[in-house]
Amino acid sequence: MPQAVISGTGLYQPPHVITNAELVEAFNRYATLQNEKNADAIARGEQAAMTMSSVEFIEKASGIKQRYVIEKSGVLDPLRMYPRFEERGDDQLSLMGEIAVDAARKALAAAGKTAADIDAVFCAAANMQRAYPAMAVEIQNALGAGGYGFDMNVACSSATFAFEQAVNAVRSGSARCVLVVNPEITSAHLEWRDRDCHFIFGDVCTATIIESAETATSADQWEVLGTKLATQFSNAIRNNFGFMNRSEDSDPLARDKTFRQEGRKVFKEVVPLAAAHIEAHLAAMNLEPTQMRRFWLHQANLGMNQLILKKLVGAEPGGDLAPLVLDTYANTASAGSVIAFHEYRGDLKSGDLGVICSFGAGYSIGSVIVRKK
Ligand code: CO8
């Protein structure tokens, strides 16, 4: 069976930054306008006044300091509070396709491959821009790749789940070189008008080449020693937007049609699940957490990652053991752990071991154990 290696990664970084100060200012202007509009109902006690957001809360509760977005003016317009994207014609490359192609070209260059080498494209993300045709097939076509492509959604674990599919495809011989893309346009399905979650997400796209060790020529190769996926149903993170909305006569703009979560519950339930998952995966391969040179963890919350690391290795993670990217990128759904892997692996040496791990809605957890060649 051919061995699978990660031979290149690429990152699309959106052009606009929203700092916490800008975000909070826009939210508080929106909340003030709402309170003025609903002043009578609030005075009669029929409606609760909206409470203000704060930079201090956001940084203390999450560790997030800013986020990148593809479109900024609509998000910060207190009369709108979501991005402004132009509808594109069927003959134009979709926005998800565009950012995926950008990240993919960078990953191909890093791996020393061309689109002609790709024989499978997996588009794995927390939301797809449309129902069909599959985003992956559009991306495959835009790149000029052959083979086949499909979309998959396991929310924040989409990337690691796709890595396992790619590794299996390489090992089984159904593909020799797989492109995994994670175009996350979270700004379009985040509820920016809800102070409990308005600070959480950012846009980005990551791309990863997973190929047979027999064809890999990159100077930076990572053997995939093992993958482990797990899911356990939970409603604590949910979005009810979908194709049934029209037939159900439900309001497509209602609160439940964008991201919502019980953040504290997620925090408490997912930390032990993720730590136990990584520990079990390593144990099954006769490895100890302390043998890991690096943990590229899902980027949802600084405190979550600190607790997971403490459970695993009994230490506070410095930037070196479990690098943080959520301070600058925020939570980028499935792309978070891949951004960390993309940005923080150059200093590792041949033989060094690490774990890429995602966790999130579903609940879903995916871990990928890698060794630098
Ligand atoms: N400013 C000021 N105060 C606030 C704000 C704010 N912005 N927001 C909430 N507060 C208040 C609350 O109202 C509460 O007040 P009170 O005590 O009076 O009730 C107080 O602050 C504390 O609130 P919380 O208990 O909610 O605060 P936490 O310390 O729990 O922090 C977090 C909230 C940061 C959300 C934290 O719980 C967390 O990060 N949890 C983990 C969440 C997580 O990992 N989720 C994974 C989601 S990602 C995923 O699975 C992918 C989904 C698909 C992508 C979707 C893209 C859009």
Side-chain angles (χ1 to χ4, degrees):
M1 240 191 320
Q3 186 193 49
V5 297
I6 297 174
S7 57
T9 54
L11 175 73
Y12 162 81
Q13 189 186 73
H16 305 288
V17 169
I18 298 180
T19 64
N20 284 346
E22 290 175 292
L23 185 80
V24 165
E25 191 194 338
F27 178 89
N28 289 350
R29 275 166 57 211
Y30 166 76
T32 304
L33 287 172
Q34 290 301 305
N35 289 343
E36 283 168 10
K37 193 172 124 194
N38 301 315
D40 290 346
I42 293 167
R44 287 194 301 272
E46 292 164 12
Q47 194 174 326
M50 286 191 72
T51 36
M52 301 298 137
S53 184
S54 90
V55 171
E56 295 69 33
F57 171 83
I58 294 170
E59 292 185 6
K60 191 159 172 268
S62 69
I64 295 165
K65 296 194 170 124
Q66 61 163 55
R67 69 284 300 138
Y68 290 96
V69 289
I70 297 170
E71 204 288 319
K72 175 172 175 172
S73 69
V75 172
L76 296 183
D77 178 351
L79 301 177
R80 184 178 172 94
M81 303 292 282
Y82 46 86
R84 277 188 192 93
F85 293 133
E86 264 177 45
E87 193 174 8
R88 297 184 182 185
D90 289 356
D91 55 346
Q92 290 176 287
L93 184 63
S94 64
L95 185 57
M96 260 184 105
E98 184 183 308
I99 66 172
V101 165
D102 182 275
R105 289 205 170 114
K106 291 170 183 161
L108 284 168
K113 297 278 151 187
T114 67
D117 296 314
I118 299 294
D119 43 26
V121 178
F122 303 160
C123 179
N127 222 333
M128 296 299 157
Q129 182 167 344
R130 59 166 182 262
Y132 40 80
M135 304 307 306
V137 180
E138 184 187 15
I139 294 159
Q140 174 199 24
N141 180 60
L143 287 168
Y148 64 97
F150 60 79
D151 293 351
M152 48 184 291
N153 175 355
V154 203
C156 286
S157 291
S158 301
T160 51
F161 276 53
F163 281 16
E164 178 169 295
Q165 307 322 306
V167 167
N168 288 348
V170 168
R171 286 187 181 152
S172 72
S174 71
R176 275 176 314 170
C177 185
V178 183
L179 166 69
V180 176
V181 284
N182 316 107
E184 292 289 6
I185 309 180
T186 65
S187 59
H189 54 118
L190 172 60
E191 182 47 87
W192 298 91
R193 293 169 293 200
D194 180 343
R195 83 165 182 157
D196 286 343
C197 67
H198 77 122
F199 55 90
I200 293 180
F201 292 99
D203 299 333
V204 83
C205 181
T206 46
T208 307
I209 306 292
I210 295 179
E211 62 175 310
S212 166
E214 290 161 9
T215 59
T217 55
S218 163
D220 179 39
Q221 293 179 34
W222 296 77
E223 290 171 69
V224 180
L225 301 183
T227 56
K228 181 177 164 71
L229 314 180
T231 51
Q232 181 182 305
F233 185 66
S234 167
N235 274 322
I237 310 167
R238 196 170 167 115
N239 180 342
N240 285 333
F241 186 79
F243 75 96
M244 294 289 283
N245 296 158
R246 182 182 69 168
S247 304
E248 291 166 346
D249 296 308
S250 64
D251 176 2
L253 299 179
R255 178 65 190 91
D256 72 321
K257 307 302 190 303
T258 48
F259 170 88
R260 68 201 158 104
Q261 73 169 351
E262 294 173 66
R264 187 144 289 211
K265 185 175 158 72
V266 174
F267 192 114
K268 280 191 189 149
E269 291 180 349
V270 170
V271 165
L273 282 177
H277 178 97
I278 295 172
E279 202 164 32
H281 189 187
L282 290 171
M285 302 189 66
N286 293 318
L287 292 167
E288 295 285 334
T290 47
Q291 289 174 268
M292 295 302 110
R293 178 66 187 81
R294 190 144 293 162
F295 292 88
W296 297 280
L297 296 180
H298 178 53
Q299 303 284 318
N301 184 294
L302 169 62
M304 279 176 107
N305 288 11
Q306 285 173 334
L307 276 173
I308 290 167
L309 259 286
K310 206 163 191 178
K311 280 178 190 288
L312 286 171
V313 296
E316 290 287 332
D320 189 48
L321 187 59
L324 205 71
V325 300
L326 69 83
D327 51 346
T328 44
Y329 289 90
N331 182 340
T332 50
S334 73
S337 55
V338 187
I339 302 174
F341 180 69
H342 175 78
E343 294 196 343
Y344 291 95
R345 67 175 194 265
D347 57 323
L348 268 58
K349 297 185 179 53
S350 178
D352 279 347
L353 293 159
V355 181
I356 303 168
C357 182
S358 63
F359 35 87
Y363 296 134
S364 57
I365 306 180
S367 53
V368 180
I369 301 174
V370 294
R371 179 168 56 203
K372 168 103 173 144
K373 275 191 99 167

